[in-house]
Amino acid sequence: MTYRPADFATPETVFKAFEGVNLIGGARRATQATLAVTNPATGAEIGRAAASDGAETAQAVATARAAQRDWAATPARARGKQVGAAARAVTAQAELIAQVLARETGKAIRTECRGEVAVAADILEFYAGLGSELKGQTIPFDPRMLTMTTREPLGVVAAILPWNVPLVLFALKVGPALVAGNSVVVKASEEAPFATFLLAELMSRHLPAGVLNVVNGTGADCGDALTRDPGVAKITFTGSEAVGETINRIGAERIIPVSLELGGKSPMIVCADADLDRAVAGAVSGMRFTRQGQSCTAASRIFVHDDLIDAFTERLGAALDALRIGDPLDEATDVGTIINARQRATIDRYVALAEATPGATVTRHGTLPDAAHLAPDLYMQPVLLRGLPDDHPCVMEEIFGPVAVLRGWSDRDEVIALANATHYGLAATVWTRSLSVALDSTSRLEAGYVQVNQNLTIQPNVSYGGFGRSGQGKEASLEAMVEHFTRSKTIVLNFD
Ligand code: NAD
């Protein structure tokens, strides 16, 4: 199918254009089956996306394989320039992409979706300039020989996405994979596939046909077929721990590299000397309350020094009360919806467990919308939990919703031990005015991304990735591209 500008006039035309199709070899290819995509804000079906079977998924891998040889032979800087042009095409349609994303994820257009598109384009631009940084080494082996390493692409990269920030995660995988000379098959999230298809099609007009392909479908059919396809040379996955474990097992059997970005239960440690206002603002942004806490890096365990915990809790509650929960498309809305009923039920189960715990305090904040056109079930007030035992499921397990646990502390060794007590290790923050406390804490916290007095999200040039069961491998940064999207070849030249 060829592109017609009218296809992309409005979000509705985008849903129609990508109805029941994959993007393979630069063209939209129909699949036999489709699945419904729902707007969580209204409960209405917005479109039907491809539900690819194994054969339809394999077609994308075969196409990507066929395109990869020429792409790998293209000079690296030239590849980067094409990715740069593709990034600018994304920026040119940023508002439309954000509108599509808001409708399929329920995330607020102003506080979440526009920023996500901008960050995705920024990440692609960042990688576009790094083609000539794919350097090897020379090795002093023997003066009569030239011994060196070169960095080669891996082949076809399978990039599997979740629904919570699909475009940023797309860019973190597709940007470095393409610039390094790989071709890519993206598996969109079946919960929120349309913004991914739109982004990819806008990009693919600036890339050789077949180097960027997108398939959609369920994890059990499309995702599983992709990970097992012998044409796939590397898997990069962001999603749940359980699926990550399965994919890692398949990668091990096939002996191919697997990068995993999985869950988190990130601690935030507020010391007695912290700037209280700054720390409270950091908790609101760090817990990603405007994304309904649906973030792997969410600062969901907040340890506040006993001297500050009452004041902190009060101010945090007041800040959350001020958030407007409502229609994601309304410019005045701060907080949209939970993604779907299954996720909502999971979150509710955790909150009910807390409510049933003796000594626990559960507070809800902000006002729920009552507009008639909105489906009520997926709007949720932020929840703060206090007084839970340290081994409570709400403390130890990822909830992936707007639920934060607060706990007081007075002994730094104890709080560091508590912070390290889950099997996750994605991110952590420390809030203090003392440099020695900051350095001591950052060195002892077991997390891949540790910040002091701030809680920023992923930055394009800052390496990001979890310890423990939060995952393996890194994303963002030059190192991530070189280490995870290329392989090293050793070459020895002897003309003696
Ligand atoms: P999920 O694991 O259910 O699904 C993620 C993707 O994997 C989807 O595209 C799905 O179709 C696919 N999939 C499912 N089963 C599969 C299988 N057997 N084989 C191959 N693919 C399969 O996760 P989700 O519910 O979409 O996202 C939420 C999860 O993602 C949370 O646990 C969250 O912590 C995690 N997450 C992690 C990060 C990070 O950077 N660490 C970022 C965002 C989200």
Side-chain angles (χ1 to χ4, degrees):
M1 198 179 294
T2 49
Y3 164 70
R4 298 180 304 273
D7 287 352
F8 300 153
T10 61
E12 289 67 34
T13 53
V14 172
F15 304 143
K16 199 75 203 145
F18 292 106
E19 185 171 299
V21 294
N22 287 324
L23 184 67
I24 299 179
R28 292 178 225 150
R29 300 200 188 278
T31 55
Q32 291 197 336
T34 60
L35 51 80
V37 179
T38 305
N39 180 344
T42 61
E45 183 176 308
I46 54 173
R48 298 197 66 84
S52 312
D53 61 19
E56 288 158 346
T57 307
Q59 196 195 357
V61 177
T63 303
R65 255 194 114 173
Q68 196 260 333
R69 189 189 293 254
D70 284 351
W71 183 239
T74 304
R77 280 201 69 211
R79 289 196 302 257
K81 283 181 181 169
Q82 292 175 66
V83 171
R88 288 188 289 282
V90 169
T91 302
Q93 290 278 14
E95 181 61 21
L96 178 62
I97 302 169
Q99 293 286 344
V100 170
L101 186 65
R103 283 164 175 79
E104 64 185 3
T105 59
K107 296 196 295 184
I109 183 79
R110 178 177 55 82
T111 56
E112 290 291 330
C113 295
R114 289 198 184 106
E116 179 168 350
V117 180
V119 171
D122 190 35
I123 293 166
L124 293 169
E125 289 268 16
F126 167 75
Y127 279 110
L130 293 184
S132 48
E133 293 300 316
L134 293 156
K135 295 168 185 164
Q137 295 177 318
T138 54
I139 295 146
F141 171 42
D142 183 310
R144 290 159 305 162
M145 300 177 197
L146 175 59
T147 304
M148 60 185 180
T149 60
T150 57
R151 285 286 173 175
E152 297 182 341
L154 295 162
V156 177
V157 171
I160 303 178
L161 305 180
W163 46 263
N164 64 329
V165 265
L167 304 184
V168 166
L169 298 168
F170 173 105
L172 285 173
K173 297 174 191 313
V174 169
L178 287 181
V179 173
N182 304 283
S183 58
V184 184
V185 177
V186 174
K187 153 77 177 77
S189 165
E190 62 271 42
E191 301 288 339
F194 290 120
T196 303
F197 274 114
L198 175 57
L199 189 88
E201 183 163 321
L202 293 168
M203 288 179 66
S204 69
R205 290 183 212 140
H206 299 270
L207 299 167
V211 303
L212 173 57
N213 310 275
V214 182
V215 292
N216 188 59
T218 64
D221 294 328
C222 176
D224 185 67
L226 186 58
T227 55
R228 293 178 194 276
D229 193 304
V232 167
K234 185 213 160 92
I235 305 167
T236 169
F237 169 80
T238 300
S240 63
E241 213 180 317
V243 175
E245 204 179 302
T246 303
I247 289 176
N248 207 27
R249 202 173 302 124
I250 293 168
E253 280 164 13
R254 297 195 43 222
I255 316 187
I256 60 168
V258 176
S259 297
L260 301 172
E261 297 286 358
L262 309 177
K265 193 77 186 175
S266 298
M268 166 170 182
I269 299 176
V270 182
C271 300
D273 66 345
D275 177 330
L276 193 57
D277 289 335
R278 195 168 164 183
V280 168
V284 177
S285 67
M287 183 47 214
R288 314 280 186 261
F289 278 111
T290 57
R291 202 188 297 156
Q292 289 285 28
Q294 297 172 135
S295 163
C296 50
T297 8
S300 50
R301 290 183 297 146
I302 307 176
F303 299 98
V304 186
H305 193 276
D306 285 339
D307 291 353
L308 297 181
I309 183 136
D310 289 334
F312 183 98
T313 308
E314 197 186 311
R315 288 200 207 181
L316 178 58
L320 298 178
D321 282 334
L323 291 178
R324 285 184 68 154
I325 306 164
D327 184 347
L329 301 180
D330 185 337
E331 296 290 338
T333 293
D334 296 308
V335 185
T337 69
I338 307 292
I339 185 77
N340 58 29
R342 190 163 27 93
Q343 187 70 18
R344 174 74 205 244
T346 303
I347 301 166
D348 285 346
R349 263 198 307 279
Y350 278 107
V351 176
L353 267 181
E355 279 169 332
T357 304
T361 313
V362 179
T363 56
R364 291 181 167 76
H365 300 273
T367 314
L368 293 170
D370 62 359
H373 70 287
L374 302 176
D377 299 351
L378 302 181
Y379 294 89
M380 181 172 175
Q381 290 170 292
V383 178
L384 298 180
L385 307 177
R386 264 183 89 174
L388 294 175
D390 291 327
D391 61 353
H392 193 279
C394 291
V395 178
M396 300 303 284
E397 297 169 17
E398 183 183 53
I399 299 176
F400 223 62
V403 183
V405 180
L406 291 142
R407 186 203 191 279
W409 64 274
S410 57
D411 179 80
R412 194 143 50 84
D413 290 339
E414 187 198 23
V415 79
I416 298 272
L418 287 168
N420 288 339
T422 73
H423 65 215
Y424 295 111
L426 193 52
T429 60
V430 183
W431 303 75
T432 178
R433 289 184 164 96
S434 159
L435 181 59
S436 64
V437 169
L439 290 174
D440 176 61
S441 307
T442 56
S443 72
R444 289 158 72 194
L445 282 166
E446 291 168 23
Y449 188 28
V450 186
Q451 301 177 69
V452 176
N453 297 327
Q454 63 172 25
N455 210 335
L456 295 182
T457 56
I458 293 170
Q459 308 296 307
N461 58 339
V462 178
S463 193
Y464 173 87
F467 291 176
R469 289 182 67 84
S470 285
Q472 61 191 21
K474 296 287 180 196
E475 290 192 322
S477 76
L478 172 62
E479 305 87 86
M481 174 168 78
V482 173
E483 284 167 28
H484 298 296
F485 291 100
T486 71
R487 59 189 180 191
S488 172
K489 177 180 279 177
T490 303
I491 299 170
V492 184
L493 302 178
N494 183 346
F495 286 90
D496 242 8

